[in-house]
Amino acid sequence: DMFEMGDGSLKEHEAVIKKATETPIDERIFIGKDFYEAGKSIVHNPSFGDEKISFYKTTDDAVTALKAGPVKNSTILIKGSRGMSLERLVELF
């Protein structure tokens, strides 16, 4: 999540998701309450397509899912605000 966005948060999170889906990569994972909420409107849009994309409300939810279904043989980009504690994901790769 981008905590500093204020009132425009939902729209900005939607914009990041849409931009990420335009990038030619195999899988996208978004973590945080705001990304989770923004993702609801995007993935249910008929024009969305069939990209592999996952949304988790919390870092703990993502850790649990990634332990159950590890990502292997991949290049991973982790980008997030310090408040999300995404450095916890590094040990999973």
Side-chain angles (χ1 to χ4, degrees):
D1 279 348
M2 301 178 288
F3 297 119
E4 67 281 359
M5 299 311 299
D7 292 340
S9 181
L10 182 62
K11 187 172 188 145
E12 293 302 323
H13 283 79
E14 288 175 349
V16 169
I17 295 166
K18 287 178 184 175
K19 185 65 173 176
T21 61
E22 295 170 1
T23 305
I25 57 176
D26 295 329
E27 184 173 357
R28 296 150 192 90
I29 299 170
F30 293 93
I31 302 169
K33 178 184 65 69
D34 291 341
F35 274 122
Y36 188 85
E37 292 302 319
K40 286 181 188 179
S41 63
I42 290 175
V43 296
H44 293 106
N45 184 328
S47 66
F48 179 67
D50 61 355
E51 291 90 357
K52 174 111 173 73
I53 189 165
S54 303
F55 295 92
Y56 302 102
K57 280 188 177 181
T58 68
T59 303
D60 287 337
D61 293 343
V63 167
T64 299
L66 290 167
K67 282 182 177 179
V71 176
K72 300 199 183 267
N73 302 317
S74 299
T75 300
I76 310 294
L77 168 66
I78 298 175
K79 171 63 179 108
S81 65
R82 180 63 193 96
M84 291 299 299
S85 302
L86 295 182
E87 69 275 2
R88 294 176 40 219
L89 299 175
V90 174
E91 68 188 44
L92 301 174
F93 308 112

